[in-house]
Amino acid sequence: PLFNSTGQPAISLPLHWSPDGLPIGMQFAGSGQPIEEVDTEVDTGAENTRQKLRILVADDNAVNQTLVDRLLTKQGHTPVLVRDGAEAVAALDSQSFDLVLMDVQMPNMDGFEATAAIRKAEVATGIHVPIIAMTANAMKGDRERCLEAGMDSYVSKPLHAQGLYEVVEGAVDASKESVVSLSPPPDGIE
């Protein structure tokens, strides 16, 4: 929605920035009411053993892009930012990515349409790229709708650092397992 229940613009703005450059606390513009505290303290003990990923981030909101970019970069990943589903499809046509974080509601081409186009192209290439839906819709049935649309996982907004890290790692792990299960059996085993 463009406006909150009091008629104020529903735009998330950072209340202030941490020394790491991450937003701390978000509010609806004009309301003065915080809607989320962003946890920037995350256990990074496995940081050196974690796989560094090239991640396509499709989101039309500049604040969300900045947050996701900084969180992923902090984990050693390389995010590439695009503003809508059409740009995401074009990026995947010309570059390779380990994972896609896809906002569901975007102009021009939404996340569902983009996912359908990406999955259609995968039939020809045989390469499956995990897609994680990012949405503010956290109502019953939204997760199922995303999975039915061909997305591999789902994370709700506002994003929490640890939750984002877990869903990224989970999607990559699941993708590796599906590749292993599709590999032909060793000689002599049927």
Side-chain angles (χ1 to χ4, degrees):
L2 296 176
F3 297 94
N4 64 20
S5 61
T6 63
Q8 298 292 324
I11 301 170
S12 295
L13 301 173
L15 293 174
H16 58 280
W17 298 91
S18 75
D20 294 339
L22 296 171
I24 304 230
M26 303 293 278
Q27 74 177 29
F28 281 114
S31 74
Q33 298 297 315
I35 58 168
E36 182 62 35
E37 287 294 320
V38 178
D39 177 16
T40 60
E41 296 300 318
V42 177
D43 177 18
T44 57
E47 191 168 323
N48 293 332
T49 61
R50 185 180 303 116
Q51 181 182 358
K52 307 306 181 202
L53 305 172
R54 184 167 158 79
I55 301 175
L56 179 63
V57 179
D59 197 317
D60 61 318
N61 182 293
V63 172
N64 290 338
Q65 281 188 336
T66 300
L67 175 62
V68 173
D69 180 62
R70 290 186 178 166
L71 290 173
L72 293 175
T73 300
K74 186 175 181 178
Q75 292 294 294
H77 303 305
T78 304
V80 175
L81 309 175
V82 296
R83 294 174 300 221
D84 63 40
E87 289 181 14
V89 172
L92 280 161
D93 283 344
S94 63
Q95 303 172 52
S96 64
F97 295 94
D98 299 301
L99 181 78
V100 178
L101 289 171
M102 181 80 69
D103 186 16
V104 172
Q105 296 178 332
M106 295 180 288
N108 301 324
M109 178 185 278
D110 68 26
F112 294 111
E113 295 168 309
T115 297
I118 292 164
R119 294 300 183 229
K120 183 176 179 182
E122 286 178 351
V123 172
T125 66
I127 298 170
H128 176 80
V129 178
I131 299 175
I132 299 172
M134 297 189 302
T135 180
N137 297 331
M139 298 173 60
K140 186 176 181 172
D142 288 331
R143 183 180 195 290
E144 291 74 19
R145 181 176 177 217
C146 291
L147 297 176
E148 288 171 6
M151 297 171 179
D152 299 276
S153 192
Y154 169 98
V155 63
S156 62
K157 295 179 187 177
L159 297 172
H160 297 271
Q162 190 65 41
L164 176 64
Y165 299 151
E166 288 171 3
V167 77
V168 165
E169 286 186 31
V172 171
D173 290 345
S175 179
K176 286 180 188 175
E177 288 173 15
S178 68
V179 170
V180 170
S181 68
L182 294 175
S183 300
D187 289 336
I189 299 177
E190 294 187 38

